[in-house]
Coordinates of all heavy atoms in Angstrom, one line a residue:
R321 N 73.0 79.2 94.0 CA 72.8 79.5 95.5 C 73.8 80.5 96.0 O 74.9 80.7 95.5 CB 73.0 78.2 96.3 CG 74.3 77.6 96.4 CD 74.4 76.4 97.2 NE 73.6 75.3 96.6 CZ 73.6 74.1 97.1 NH1 74.2 73.8 98.2 NH2 72.9 73.2 96.5
N359 N 70.6 77.0 109.0 CA 71.2 76.1 109.9 C 71.9 76.8 111.0 O 72.7 77.7 110.8 CB 72.2 75.3 109.0 CG 71.6 74.0 108.4 OD1 71.2 73.1 108.9 ND2 71.5 74.1 107.1
M361 N 74.3 76.3 114.4 CA 75.1 75.3 115.2 C 75.6 75.9 116.4 O 76.4 77.0 116.3 CB 76.2 74.7 114.3 CG 75.7 73.8 113.3 SD 77.1 73.3 112.1 CE 77.4 74.8 111.3
R369 N 77.4 79.3 115.4 CA 77.6 79.5 113.8 C 76.2 79.3 113.3 O 75.4 78.4 113.5 CB 78.5 78.5 113.3 CG 78.7 78.6 111.8 CD 80.0 78.0 111.3 NE 80.2 78.3 110.1 CZ 79.9 77.4 109.1 NH1 79.4 76.3 109.3 NH2 80.2 77.8 107.8
L371 N 74.3 79.4 109.4 CA 74.5 79.5 107.9 C 73.1 79.6 107.2 O 72.1 78.8 107.5 CB 75.2 78.1 107.5 CG 75.1 77.9 105.9 CD1 76.1 78.9 105.3 CD2 75.3 76.4 105.5
E373 N 71.2 80.0 103.6 CA 71.4 79.6 102.2 C 70.2 80.1 101.4 O 69.1 79.9 101.9 CB 71.8 78.2 102.0 CG 73.2 77.9 102.3 CD 73.5 76.5 102.1 OE1 72.8 75.5 102.8 OE2 74.2 76.1 101.1
L389 N 68.4 70.8 98.6 CA 69.3 70.6 99.6 C 68.8 69.3 100.6 O 67.6 69.2 100.6 CB 69.4 71.8 100.6 CG 70.0 73.0 100.0 CD1 69.8 74.1 101.0 CD2 71.5 72.7 99.7
C390 N 69.7 68.8 101.2 CA 69.2 67.8 102.1 C 68.9 68.5 103.5 O 69.7 69.4 103.8 CB 70.2 66.6 102.3 SG 71.8 67.2 102.8
V391 N 67.9 68.2 104.0 CA 67.4 69.0 105.2 C 67.9 68.3 106.5 O 67.7 67.1 106.8 CB 65.9 69.2 105.3 CG1 65.5 70.0 106.5 CG2 65.5 69.9 104.1
D392 N 68.7 69.1 107.3 CA 69.1 68.5 108.6 C 67.9 68.5 109.5 O 67.2 69.5 109.8 CB 70.2 69.5 109.1 CG 70.8 69.0 110.3 OD1 70.3 68.2 110.9 OD2 71.9 69.5 110.6
P393 N 67.6 67.3 109.9 CA 66.5 67.1 110.8 C 66.5 68.0 112.2 O 65.5 68.4 112.7 CB 66.5 65.6 111.2 CG 67.9 65.1 111.0 CD 68.5 66.0 110.0
R398 N 72.5 70.8 116.7 CA 73.7 70.2 116.2 C 74.9 70.9 116.8 O 74.9 72.1 117.0 CB 73.8 70.2 114.6 CG 74.9 69.3 114.1 CD 74.6 69.0 112.7 NE 74.8 70.2 111.9 CZ 74.6 70.1 110.5 NH1 74.4 69.1 109.9 NH2 74.8 71.2 109.9
T399 N 76.0 70.1 117.1 CA 77.1 70.8 117.5 C 78.3 70.4 116.6 O 78.2 69.4 115.8 CB 77.5 70.2 119.0 OG1 77.7 68.8 119.0 CG2 76.4 70.7 119.9
C400 N 79.4 71.1 116.6 CA 80.5 70.7 115.8 C 81.7 71.1 116.6 O 81.7 71.9 117.5 CB 80.5 71.4 114.4 SG 80.9 73.2 114.5
E401 N 82.9 70.6 116.2 CA 84.1 71.0 116.9 C 85.0 71.9 115.9 O 85.6 71.4 114.9 CB 84.9 69.7 117.1 CG 84.3 68.9 118.3 CD 84.7 67.5 118.2 OE1 85.6 67.3 117.6 OE2 83.9 66.7 118.9
C402 N 84.9 73.1 116.2 CA 85.6 74.0 115.4 C 85.5 73.8 113.8 O 86.4 73.9 113.1 CB 87.1 74.0 115.6 SG 87.6 74.7 117.3
C403 N 84.3 73.5 113.5 CA 83.9 73.3 112.1 C 84.5 72.0 111.4 O 84.2 71.8 110.2 CB 84.2 74.7 111.3 SG 83.5 75.9 112.0
E404 N 85.4 71.3 112.1 CA 85.9 70.1 111.5 C 84.9 69.1 111.1 O 85.0 68.3 110.2 CB 87.1 69.5 112.3 CG 88.4 70.2 112.2 CD 89.3 70.2 113.4 OE1 89.1 69.1 114.1 OE2 90.1 70.9 113.5
S405 N 83.8 69.0 111.9 CA 82.8 68.0 111.7 C 81.6 68.5 110.8 O 80.5 68.0 110.9 CB 82.5 67.4 113.0 OG 81.8 68.3 113.8
C406 N 81.8 69.7 110.3 CA 80.8 70.3 109.4 C 80.5 69.3 108.3 O 81.4 68.8 107.8 CB 81.1 71.7 108.8 SG 81.2 73.0 110.0
S407 N 79.1 69.3 107.9 CA 78.9 68.3 106.8 C 79.5 68.9 105.5 O 79.7 70.1 105.4 CB 77.3 68.3 106.7 OG 76.9 69.6 106.3
P408 N 79.8 68.1 104.5 CA 80.6 68.4 103.3 C 79.9 69.8 102.8 O 80.5 70.6 102.2 CB 80.5 67.3 102.4 CG 80.1 66.1 103.3 CD 79.4 66.7 104.5
R409 N 78.5 69.7 102.7 CA 77.9 70.9 102.1 C 78.1 72.2 102.9 O 77.8 73.2 102.4 CB 76.4 70.6 101.8 CG 75.5 70.9 102.9 CD 74.1 70.5 102.4 NE 73.3 70.5 103.5 CZ 72.7 71.4 104.2 NH1 73.0 72.6 103.7 NH2 72.0 71.3 105.2
M410 N 78.3 72.1 104.1 CA 78.6 73.2 104.9 C 80.0 73.8 104.5 O 80.2 75.0 104.6 CB 78.5 73.0 106.4 CG 77.1 72.5 106.7 SD 76.1 74.0 107.1 CE 76.7 74.7 108.5
S411 N 80.9 72.9 104.3 CA 82.4 73.5 104.4 C 82.7 74.5 103.4 O 83.4 75.5 103.7 CB 83.3 72.2 104.2 OG 82.9 71.4 103.2
P412 N 82.1 74.5 102.1 CA 82.4 75.6 101.2 C 82.1 77.0 101.9 O 82.7 78.0 101.5 CB 81.6 75.4 100.1 CG 81.2 74.0 100.0 CD 81.2 73.6 101.6
W413 N 81.1 77.0 102.8 CA 80.7 78.3 103.2 C 81.4 78.7 104.6 O 81.2 79.7 105.2 CB 79.3 78.3 103.5 CG 78.4 77.8 102.4 CD1 77.7 76.7 102.4 CD2 78.4 78.3 101.1 NE1 77.1 76.5 101.3 CE2 77.5 77.5 100.4 CE3 78.9 79.5 100.4 CZ2 77.2 77.7 99.1 CZ3 78.5 79.7 99.2 CH2 77.7 78.9 98.4
C414 N 82.3 77.7 105.1 CA 82.7 77.8 106.4 C 83.5 79.1 106.7 O 84.5 79.3 105.9 CB 83.6 76.5 106.8 SG 84.1 76.6 108.4

Side-chain angles (χ1 to χ4, degrees):
R321 70 178 61 176
N359 273 288
M361 285 174 296
R369 181 157 187 266
L371 169 71
E373 286 178 292
L389 295 174
C390 52
V391 178
D392 186 339
R398 194 162 64 176
T399 59
C400 73
E401 288 157 16
C402 290
C403 302
E404 274 157 24
S405 62
C406 288
S407 66
R409 83 181 163 78
M410 294 284 283
S411 47
W413 315 114
C414 183

